[in-house]
Amino acid sequence: MSSPPLAYLRTFEAAARHESFARAAAELHVTPAAVSQQIRLLEDRLQTRLFVRGARNLRITREGRDYAASVGAALERIEEATRALSSQAVTGPLRIGTFPSFALHWLLPRLTDFRARHRGIDPQLSLSTAIEPLGAGGVDVTIRFGAGKYPGCNAELLMREYVFPACSPALLEGRPVPARLEDLAALPLIDDKGLAAGEQRMAWEDWLGDHYTSAMPRISLPDGLFTMQAALLGQGAAIVRQSLAGPYLREGRLVRLSKERRATDYSYWLVTPQGEIDPKTERFKHWLFDTLSASSPS
């Protein structure tokens, strides 16, 4: 039997330590459903039951507890070796370019983990809605949201994106979530005026179709950062990106206004200079893909 994926083992170790899928999910910045599915895949792979799932509680089995002790020790040795390698061989600033909404809602909450794993590297964020130059005088690596066409650069797909309407529970004032999309016309709508041509699935005109009129109460904001913040403040309903809204949905600060989600025409890309990349960028790249792998249910 081959070893399980490292992402499964990290998820299992957190779930075993907390004896809770919900608390493990909060630590790993994923949903409890993603944790549960990874544990089930791990159990299927090992052909061993690791947890007993009750209606209101979760209990680790004896086999699971023994396995968790070994896995935890192994992961700690990996962490120690990584920290030692990082501190000895790779040090200095790493200039990371990205756009403000992704930095605030996705990257910043996770950078503490990167710093802990690579103590010799100093990540420095450069925020801009424009594509920043790479290399001398620019940034070392950038994360962009687009079609993946960046001439003169290497672009690797990080993750695809989906959107859906959401709002703060306070906006509903205790009323049930509207049952139909057309019922959203009764709510103030937040327009993101920073949308590019390939993001029109994030516009209210596209979602509401014939039910959309210019007479609806609307708030126009310049970009996705302000749009998300306005939604969190209860100022209106917004079309939000799943990757950025996830934590706020889990915390109950946002509620979905439709079960439907739509794939965007754009995706997230890791963009680096052509040719061999420097060791700091390589460390960041591997950390980023490991983090995304741990967030994926498969």
Side-chain angles (χ1 to χ4, degrees), residues 29 79 82-83 86 90 92-96 106-125 141 279-289 291:
H29 302 288
E79 294 290 341
T82 301
R83 287 194 293 266
S86 298
V90 182
L94 174 66
R95 300 164 298 174
I96 305 168
W106 197 95
L107 186 57
L108 271 177
R110 295 166 171 81
L111 267 186
T112 300
D113 179 67
F114 177 78
R115 292 178 187 273
R117 295 173 186 271
H118 303 282
R119 298 185 183 277
I121 300 176
D122 176 24
Q124 300 177 355
L125 295 185
V141 58
K280 296 190 298 294
T281 300
E282 189 72 33
R283 297 288 195 280
F284 179 72
K285 171 184 170 180
H286 285 301
W287 170 82
L288 196 58
F289 278 103
T291 300

Side-chain angles (χ1 to χ4, degrees), residues 35-48:
V35 171
S36 178
Q37 185 167 354
Q38 284 205 8
I39 296 300
R40 196 172 299 281
L41 290 170
L42 180 61
E43 289 176 325
D44 290 345
R45 190 181 188 108
L46 298 174
Q47 298 184 348
T48 302

Side-chain angles (χ1 to χ4, degrees), residues 5-24:
L6 187 58
Y8 290 8
L9 297 179
R10 284 178 175 160
T11 300
F12 166 67
E13 189 278 331
R17 178 161 33 85
H18 291 292
E19 209 152 343
S20 165
F21 288 171
R23 288 195 291 272

Side-chain angles (χ1 to χ4, degrees), residues 33-193:
V35 171
S36 178
Q37 185 167 354
Q38 284 205 8
I39 296 300
R40 196 172 299 281
L41 290 170
L42 180 61
E43 289 176 325
D44 290 345
R45 190 181 188 108
L46 298 174
Q47 298 184 348
T48 302
R49 195 176 190 185
L50 301 173
F51 293 94
V52 177
R53 298 158 176 82
R56 296 185 177 179
N57 60 6
L58 181 75
R59 180 170 56 84
I60 192 168
T61 64
R62 179 177 59 81
E63 294 82 1
R65 196 174 301 280
D66 291 343
Y67 190 51
S70 298
V71 169
L75 289 175
E76 180 58 31
R77 287 195 296 272
I78 292 173
E79 294 290 341
E80 290 175 356
T82 301
R83 287 194 293 266
L85 180 63
S86 298
S87 61
Q88 292 175 8
V90 182
T91 61
L94 174 66
R95 300 164 298 174
I96 305 168
T98 191
F99 49 102
S101 60
F102 184 82
L104 178 63
H105 299 295
W106 197 95
L107 186 57
L108 271 177
R110 295 166 171 81
L111 267 186
T112 300
D113 179 67
F114 177 78
R115 292 178 187 273
R117 295 173 186 271
H118 303 282
R119 298 185 183 277
I121 300 176
D122 176 24
Q124 300 177 355
L125 295 185
S126 177
L127 306 181
S128 174
T129 56
I131 298 177
E132 298 170 280
L134 290 167
V139 296
D140 300 304
V141 58
T142 184
I143 299 169
R144 307 309 311 175
F145 185 67
K149 298 177 181 178
Y150 304 100
C153 303
N154 289 324
E156 298 178 72
L157 178 66
L158 284 176
M159 58 179 165
R160 304 197 182 279
E161 185 61 287
Y162 300 88
V163 295
F164 47 78
C167 74
S168 166
L171 186 70
L172 300 175
E173 298 179 336
R175 293 172 295 175
V177 174
R180 301 172 301 173
L181 276 174
E182 51 264 36
D183 295 333
L184 300 183
L187 300 174
L189 305 179
I190 302 173
D191 283 332
D192 181 352
K193 292 302 183 184

Side-chain angles (χ1 to χ4, degrees), residues 221-284:
L221 293 172
D223 57 35
L225 178 62
F226 283 95
T227 298
M228 179 75 81
Q229 288 303 115
L232 289 168
L233 291 171
Q235 295 184 6
I239 306 299
V240 299
R241 294 174 182 166
Q242 178 174 287
S243 66
L244 308 186
Y248 305 116
L249 293 169
R250 292 192 291 272
E251 294 166 6
R253 296 178 61 191
L254 287 178
V255 293
R256 286 184 66 158
L257 297 174
S258 172
K259 293 181 180 179
E260 180 184 1
R261 67 172 190 172
R262 299 181 183 180
T264 64
D265 295 329
Y266 285 172
S267 302
Y268 294 95
W269 301 86
L270 180 71
V271 185
T272 56
Q274 284 186 333
E276 185 176 355
I277 60 176
D278 69 87
K280 296 190 298 294
T281 300
E282 189 72 33
R283 297 288 195 280
F284 179 72

